[in-house]
Amino acid sequence: MGISEKELEFNKNEDLIKQKISQLNRELEKVYQGGGEKKIEKLHSQGKLTARERIDLLLDKDAERIEIGALVGFGMYKEHGGCPSGGVVIVMGYVSGKQCLVVANDATVKAGAWFPITAKKNLRAQEIAMENNLPIIYLVDSAGVYLPMQDEIFPDKEHFGRIFRNNAIMSSQGILQIAAVMGSCVAGGAYLPIMSDESLIVNKTGTIFLAGSYLVKAAIGETIDNETLGGAITHTEISGVCDYATESDQECLATIRELMDKVGAKDKAGFDRKESLEPKINPESVYGILPAERSKPYNMRDVLETIVDAESFVEYKKEYGKSLICGYARVNGWSVGIVSNQREIIKNAKGEMQFGGVIYSDSADKAARFIMNCNQKNIPLVFLQDVSGFMVGSKSEHGGIIKDGAKMVNAMANSVVPKFTVVIGNSYGAGNYAMCGKAYDPRLMLAWPTAEIAVMSGASAAKTLMQIEVASLKSKGEEITPEREKELYDKIKNRYDEQISPYYAASRLWVDAIIDPVQTRTYLSMGIEAANNKKADRPYNVGNIQT
């Protein structure tokens, strides 16, 4: 018996996405090496562990963990030797059973110096901690600001100084901060551990000072070594700057685990959770469900069944506004409200064909009402994006697409229950915004390797930009042959395709992580558990929303 056309299509889809996942894993393996083997060996020769080794020792064994921003800095700063993972590793996990964030400088990358993207990544960690009332543990080993780029990291609002402002704000909000000085901690960076609630320092390898011995000699003529100036004995016996002195990385991390073991519980937000059930469809089946060709339609309900707990999905207004799927479900036991694009070509109630991935007026209206319902019921929201944008044309404009789209955006933007966004495929134009893009504060913004984030697709943008370029060249008297036109198109499209890649987005922290689709449940579950640590700050109010 031969293989059916449907099975062939499934296998083709599966092959393509597995290739993308293999590429993702290869890039992550490079990132995990930080500054490379020689730098790791040098660190070990100093009696120190790498950032990732420290995190592994600190976190509970066999407990779930997720990394934030592993691909930050991807392809950036090549003229400076690169900055793998932004020179800092951020992981959400459990320490002595308590969920927390760990932020560890990677001293194998430019001695842990701060690039502009390093500051942005650290600020993202603090943002996650503040949004979710999560304890944050800093493992400090940094040479401070990367001086060749100081103008891009030092003076502005979202630069280095914002870190210390957030330290103070988190302290006032009762968010626990523990800092361990496990290497250099110099200049302005010296304030971070001391603005934390408790600080530890490792003898002989940890140092804290506003200016090192060379600068002290130059500034005031004093001759002193770094250990006497700002080592563990100095700061735990003389200055009182640090609270605990430890003799090794291992002892330091064990002490943090003991401190976390004594932390008391806080009030929860009250999100509902029951026993988790495996999805109805094997999560790996999504590899064959998602089309290899982006323009091909598929049923998003099949994708949902690989993510949500079996038999938990209850669809809201199924026969109305069909280009968006809304419904209640559970993910790893957590109650969620799902808003996802439908990629099938469908008929509306009037028998009119509607394109997959496009948001129509009735769909926007449905989503706005569903979002309000989830806020009324204290249910977190999950947005699954494969969206081309809102429907255009005279019929849509006359039907009030702008009004209905604004209604959806207003409801989503004013939502006070936590929001989580997963970019599965396209994330284009205003569709990115309406489906809770980065600008709308999702607690986690995730992307599959199949994601594209841009104003429009590469092909559409290239055609538009090429027309402008051709018109400009013709106005200068240049004759444009079909071959020259194709050359221009290919050049523009290649440049644009690089910018819409999920790696481009992850490098700049537009998304928190690129993940294998089978990891979606884990990331969402841990994100909701984190969000459950903090109640909404204000009552739900959708503002100026027209019904």
Side-chain angles (χ1 to χ4, degrees):
M1 201 171 167
I3 299 176
S4 69
E5 188 175 331
K6 186 176 182 181
E7 288 173 316
L8 284 171
E9 184 72 18
F10 186 97
N11 292 339
K12 178 184 174 183
N13 297 342
E14 185 178 44
D15 288 345
L16 180 70
I17 196 167
K18 283 188 173 181
Q19 288 173 20
K20 289 181 179 290
I21 292 167
S22 292
Q23 179 193 0
L24 172 63
N25 291 333
R26 286 193 301 272
E27 298 300 347
L28 287 173
E29 283 301 319
K30 293 177 193 173
V31 162
Y32 296 157
Q33 290 299 306
E37 286 294 335
K38 288 185 178 179
K39 294 289 179 65
I40 293 172
E41 288 171 9
K42 182 180 178 182
L43 211 63
H44 287 165
S45 71
Q46 297 169 349
K48 295 162 68 175
L49 301 173
T50 67
R52 293 181 185 279
E53 288 169 341
R54 288 167 175 168
I55 291 173
D56 284 341
L57 267 182
L58 179 61
L59 293 180
D60 295 351
K61 306 301 178 205
D62 302 320
E64 296 280 14
R65 64 177 70 175
I66 57 175
E67 184 167 351
I68 307 297
L71 289 161
V72 163
F74 180 86
M76 297 173 69
Y77 311 122
K78 291 178 182 178
E79 67 277 21
H80 297 278
C83 188
S85 217
V88 64
V89 183
I90 299 173
V91 175
M92 184 187 293
Y94 302 86
V95 177
S96 298
K98 312 295 193 311
Q99 191 180 25
C100 60
L101 278 175
V102 183
V103 180
N105 298 115
D106 186 347
T108 69
V109 180
K110 290 288 191 295
W114 288 54
F115 283 71
I117 201 67
T118 315
K120 185 174 183 178
K121 187 172 176 179
N122 275 268
L123 288 169
R124 177 62 179 141
Q126 291 184 321
E127 180 181 42
I128 291 170
M130 288 188 282
E131 284 178 334
N132 300 295
N133 201 19
L134 269 188
I136 187 166
I137 299 169
Y138 306 99
L139 306 181
V140 184
D141 193 347
S142 171
V145 167
Y146 183 60
L147 290 177
M149 303 187 75
Q150 66 85 29
D151 62 318
E152 297 180 46
I153 185 176
F154 173 69
D156 210 347
K157 180 179 178 179
E158 298 296 332
H159 284 179
F160 194 75
R162 190 77 172 180
I163 305 288
F164 313 131
R165 176 263 188 193
N166 287 349
N167 288 143
I169 296 296
M170 284 190 283
S171 183
S172 72
Q173 293 175 346
I175 298 170
L176 176 63
Q177 299 173 86
I178 296 174
V181 181
M182 309 179 81
S184 297
C185 185
V186 301
Y191 288 103
L192 185 146
I194 314 314
M195 295 189 74
S196 298
D197 299 296
E198 290 186 287
S199 60
L200 306 87
I201 187 169
V202 180
N203 193 24
K204 304 300 182 185
T205 55
T207 53
I208 309 174
F209 34 64
L210 295 180
S213 56
Y214 292 133
L215 186 53
V216 167
K217 176 71 173 177
I220 63 173
E222 180 183 4
T223 301
I224 190 169
D225 64 89
N226 282 340
E227 189 65 28
T228 306
L229 182 65
I233 292 173
T234 296
H235 284 312
T236 56
E237 297 182 17
I238 300 173
S239 73
V241 163
C242 289
D243 305 308
Y244 309 92
T246 60
E247 291 302 316
S248 66
D249 280 11
Q250 291 83 349
E251 183 186 336
C252 182
L253 298 167
T255 304
I256 297 173
R257 289 185 56 80
E258 286 297 324
L259 295 174
M260 287 299 296
D261 183 57
K262 313 301 188 293
V263 175
K266 294 188 176 182
D267 291 341
K268 300 294 183 182
F271 303 135
D272 187 65
R273 190 179 197 184
K274 292 185 176 178
E275 184 180 351
S276 174
L277 296 174
E278 289 299 312
K280 182 178 179 180
I281 299 176
N282 183 336
E284 290 190 3
S285 295
V286 77
Y287 299 156
I289 294 170
L290 216 59
E293 296 176 37
R294 306 188 74 84
S295 59
K296 281 197 171 182
Y298 64 94
N299 191 342
M300 183 65 82
R301 292 182 183 87
D302 295 335
V303 174
L304 292 177
E305 292 291 1
T306 69
I307 297 172
V308 305
D309 294 9
E311 310 302 334
S312 69
F313 187 63
V314 179
E315 190 162 350
Y316 173 80
K317 290 183 181 287
K318 183 177 181 179
E319 300 304 323
Y320 176 74
K322 294 181 180 181
S323 72
L324 282 177
I325 297 172
C326 300
Y328 305 103
R330 291 190 182 275
V331 174
N332 204 12
W334 290 105
S335 172
V336 298
I338 290 176
V339 181
S340 70
N341 303 107
Q342 173 60 297
R343 285 305 306 264
E344 278 196 322
I345 297 174
I346 52 180
K347 286 184 180 180
N348 63 16
K350 299 176 182 177
E352 300 165 331
M353 300 302 292
Q354 295 188 339
F355 297 104
V358 178
I359 302 175
Y360 292 78
S361 286
D362 52 357
S363 303
D365 172 71
K366 176 173 79 169
R369 294 174 186 275
F370 179 73
I371 289 165
M372 288 188 278
N373 286 348
C374 288
N375 275 267
Q376 195 81 348
K377 297 176 179 180
N378 197 31
I379 299 174
L381 284 157
V382 175
F383 293 83
L384 299 177
Q385 291 192 6
D386 193 349
V387 58
S388 304
F390 284 89
M391 190 59 189
V392 297
S394 60
K395 187 172 183 180
S396 292
E397 298 294 358
H398 296 169
I401 186 68
I402 295 174
K403 171 176 65 68
D404 290 320
K407 187 193 306 182
M408 178 180 173
V409 171
N410 207 330
M412 181 271 300
N414 280 288
S415 173
V416 296
V417 295
K419 302 174 297 231
F420 301 86
T421 303
V422 184
V423 184
I424 290 174
N426 302 333
S427 180
Y428 296 155
N432 168 281
Y433 297 162
M435 293 292 291
C436 195
K438 181 72 170 178
Y440 295 86
D441 300 321
R443 297 293 176 95
L444 289 176
M445 179 91 177
L446 308 169
W448 289 2
T450 47
E452 289 186 358
I453 302 173
V455 171
M456 61 182 74
S457 71
S460 297
K463 287 175 184 175
T464 303
L465 292 169
M466 186 195 69
Q467 288 170 3
I468 295 170
E469 181 74 9
V470 167
S472 174
L473 292 172
K474 283 182 176 178
S475 70
K476 296 173 183 177
E478 185 172 334
E479 184 181 345
I480 305 298
T481 64
E483 292 76 20
R484 173 69 169 140
E485 193 169 295
K486 184 180 184 304
E487 180 188 333
L488 286 170
Y489 174 82
D490 290 341
K491 181 180 177 182
I492 293 168
K493 187 174 185 302
N494 289 339
R495 184 176 71 242
Y496 198 86
D497 282 346
E498 180 187 349
Q499 294 177 357
I500 67 178
S501 156
Y503 292 93
Y504 194 90
S507 175
R508 289 150 181 81
L509 211 52
W510 301 344
V511 298
D512 292 309
I514 303 175
I515 62 172
D516 184 327
V518 300
Q519 296 178 296
T520 305
R521 280 169 57 85
T522 299
Y523 270 80
L524 291 177
S525 176
M526 286 197 69
I528 296 168
E529 183 179 352
N532 198 35
N533 288 299
K534 186 176 181 180
K535 294 181 179 179
D537 293 328
R538 55 188 171 80
Y540 182 61
N541 183 345
V542 297
N544 180 27
I545 183 169
Q546 301 180 53
T547 58

